[in-house]
Tab-separated table of all heavy atoms in Angstrom:
chain	number	residue	atom	x	y	z
A	369	ARG	N	99.682	138.172	82.127
A	369	ARG	CA	100.942	138.389	82.834
A	369	ARG	C	102.092	138.134	81.877
A	369	ARG	O	101.927	137.521	80.827
A	369	ARG	CB	101.071	137.435	84.029
A	369	ARG	CG	100.054	137.648	85.132
A	369	ARG	CD	100.224	136.601	86.223
A	369	ARG	NE	99.272	136.774	87.298
A	369	ARG	CZ	99.493	137.506	88.381
A	369	ARG	NH1	100.649	138.124	88.521
A	369	ARG	NH2	98.576	137.617	89.326
A	507	ARG	N	83.390	122.828	87.826
A	507	ARG	CA	83.024	121.430	88.035
A	507	ARG	C	81.513	121.226	87.979
A	507	ARG	O	81.033	120.245	87.427
A	507	ARG	CB	83.561	120.969	89.400
A	507	ARG	CG	83.341	119.494	89.694
A	507	ARG	CD	84.025	119.083	90.989
A	507	ARG	NE	83.406	119.691	92.162
A	507	ARG	CZ	83.941	120.663	92.875
A	507	ARG	NH1	85.116	121.165	92.539
A	507	ARG	NH2	83.319	121.158	93.928
A	513	VAL	N	68.959	130.307	82.053
A	513	VAL	CA	67.667	129.966	81.458
A	513	VAL	C	67.060	131.222	80.855
A	513	VAL	O	66.903	132.245	81.537
A	513	VAL	CB	66.714	129.369	82.514
A	513	VAL	CG1	65.359	129.028	81.888
A	513	VAL	CG2	67.328	128.136	83.151
A	525	GLU	N	76.734	135.378	72.401
A	525	GLU	CA	78.129	135.766	72.206
A	525	GLU	C	78.716	136.546	73.381
A	525	GLU	O	79.905	136.848	73.389
A	525	GLU	CB	78.255	136.586	70.922
A	525	GLU	CG	77.907	135.801	69.658
A	525	GLU	CD	77.978	136.660	68.412
A	525	GLU	OE1	78.347	137.850	68.529
A	525	GLU	OE2	77.645	136.160	67.326
A	545	PRO	N	66.547	116.083	78.991
A	545	PRO	CA	67.418	115.485	77.970
A	545	PRO	C	66.637	114.617	76.982
A	545	PRO	O	65.803	113.801	77.367
A	545	PRO	CB	68.396	114.647	78.795
A	545	PRO	CG	68.444	115.325	80.122
A	545	PRO	CD	67.057	115.824	80.357
A	609	ARG	N	54.262	100.920	98.675
A	609	ARG	CA	54.118	102.377	98.757
A	609	ARG	C	54.727	102.931	100.035
A	609	ARG	O	55.242	104.058	100.058
A	609	ARG	CB	52.637	102.756	98.679
A	609	ARG	CG	52.022	102.617	97.293
A	609	ARG	CD	50.539	102.949	97.322
A	609	ARG	NE	49.953	102.954	95.982
A	609	ARG	CZ	48.653	103.130	95.739
A	609	ARG	NH1	47.811	103.309	96.753
A	609	ARG	NH2	48.212	103.132	94.497
A	742	ARG	N	83.001	92.712	83.172
A	742	ARG	CA	83.608	91.375	83.249
A	742	ARG	C	84.238	90.986	81.914
A	742	ARG	O	85.310	90.381	81.878
A	742	ARG	CB	82.542	90.352	83.656
A	742	ARG	CG	82.109	90.452	85.113
A	742	ARG	CD	81.328	89.212	85.531
A	742	ARG	NE	80.113	89.041	84.747
A	742	ARG	CZ	78.941	89.579	85.057
A	742	ARG	NH1	78.834	90.340	86.147
A	742	ARG	NH2	77.881	89.359	84.299
A	768	ASP	N	118.914	82.482	85.304
A	768	ASP	CA	117.887	82.904	86.252
A	768	ASP	C	117.932	84.401	86.502
A	768	ASP	O	116.914	85.056	86.679
A	768	ASP	CB	118.068	82.168	87.585
A	768	ASP	CG	117.700	80.699	87.445
A	768	ASP	OD1	117.013	80.375	86.452
A	768	ASP	OD2	118.083	79.911	88.331
A	788	ARG	N	92.571	101.168	82.583
A	788	ARG	CA	93.388	102.088	81.804
A	788	ARG	C	92.893	102.243	80.378
A	788	ARG	O	93.183	103.229	79.716
A	788	ARG	CB	94.841	101.620	81.782
A	788	ARG	CG	95.544	101.803	83.107
A	788	ARG	CD	97.047	101.718	82.949
A	788	ARG	NE	97.739	102.142	84.139
A	788	ARG	CZ	99.038	102.394	84.188
A	788	ARG	NH1	99.772	102.257	83.096
A	788	ARG	NH2	99.613	102.785	85.305
A	815	ASP	N	66.454	134.407	83.406
A	815	ASP	CA	66.007	135.676	82.847
A	815	ASP	C	64.510	135.601	82.568
A	815	ASP	O	63.977	134.534	82.295
A	815	ASP	CB	66.762	135.982	81.545
A	815	ASP	CG	66.823	137.471	81.272
A	815	ASP	OD1	65.836	138.166	81.565
A	815	ASP	OD2	67.862	137.941	80.778
A	857	ASP	N	55.629	134.751	95.943
A	857	ASP	CA	54.894	133.543	95.587
A	857	ASP	C	55.813	132.508	94.938
A	857	ASP	O	55.646	131.307	95.133
A	857	ASP	CB	53.752	133.882	94.625
A	857	ASP	CG	52.630	134.659	95.303
A	857	ASP	OD1	52.599	134.680	96.551
A	857	ASP	OD2	51.804	135.256	94.589
A	896	ASP	N	49.311	153.868	89.588
A	896	ASP	CA	50.475	154.109	90.444
A	896	ASP	C	51.786	153.630	89.826
A	896	ASP	O	52.843	153.719	90.453
A	896	ASP	CB	50.294	153.413	91.798
A	896	ASP	CG	49.118	153.978	92.584
A	896	ASP	OD1	48.785	155.164	92.359
A	896	ASP	OD2	48.525	153.237	93.387
A	900	PRO	N	61.108	152.933	84.978
A	900	PRO	CA	62.498	153.324	85.226
A	900	PRO	C	62.809	154.650	84.535
A	900	PRO	O	62.179	155.003	83.533
A	900	PRO	CB	63.298	152.170	84.617
A	900	PRO	CG	62.386	151.561	83.610
A	900	PRO	CD	61.004	151.713	84.147
A	920	PRO	N	49.019	145.650	55.298
A	920	PRO	CA	50.354	145.237	54.824
A	920	PRO	C	51.070	146.337	54.052
A	920	PRO	O	52.293	146.500	54.184
A	920	PRO	CB	50.047	144.026	53.934
A	920	PRO	CG	48.771	143.478	54.465
A	920	PRO	CD	47.980	144.691	54.879
A	922	ALA	N	50.656	149.600	54.425
A	922	ALA	CA	51.079	150.625	55.386
A	922	ALA	C	52.305	150.172	56.161
A	922	ALA	O	53.208	150.969	56.452
A	922	ALA	CB	49.930	150.940	56.342
A	975	GLN	N	58.149	136.960	71.435
A	975	GLN	CA	59.479	136.728	70.864
A	975	GLN	C	60.417	137.908	71.100
A	975	GLN	O	61.638	137.745	71.089
A	975	GLN	CB	59.370	136.473	69.366
A	975	GLN	CG	58.755	135.144	68.978
A	975	GLN	CD	58.590	135.021	67.485
A	975	GLN	OE1	58.067	135.924	66.822
A	975	GLN	NE2	59.053	133.918	66.923
A	1004	ALA	N	62.825	149.676	71.462
A	1004	ALA	CA	63.576	150.567	70.570
A	1004	ALA	C	64.610	151.387	71.327
A	1004	ALA	O	64.359	151.868	72.436
A	1004	ALA	CB	62.623	151.495	69.834
Side-chain angles (χ1 to χ4, degrees):
R369 295 177 180 269
R507 185 174 68 253
V513 179
E525 296 177 3
R609 286 177 174 176
R742 288 194 299 272
D768 289 342
R788 288 197 169 193
D815 206 323
D857 290 345
D896 296 333
Q975 289 176 311

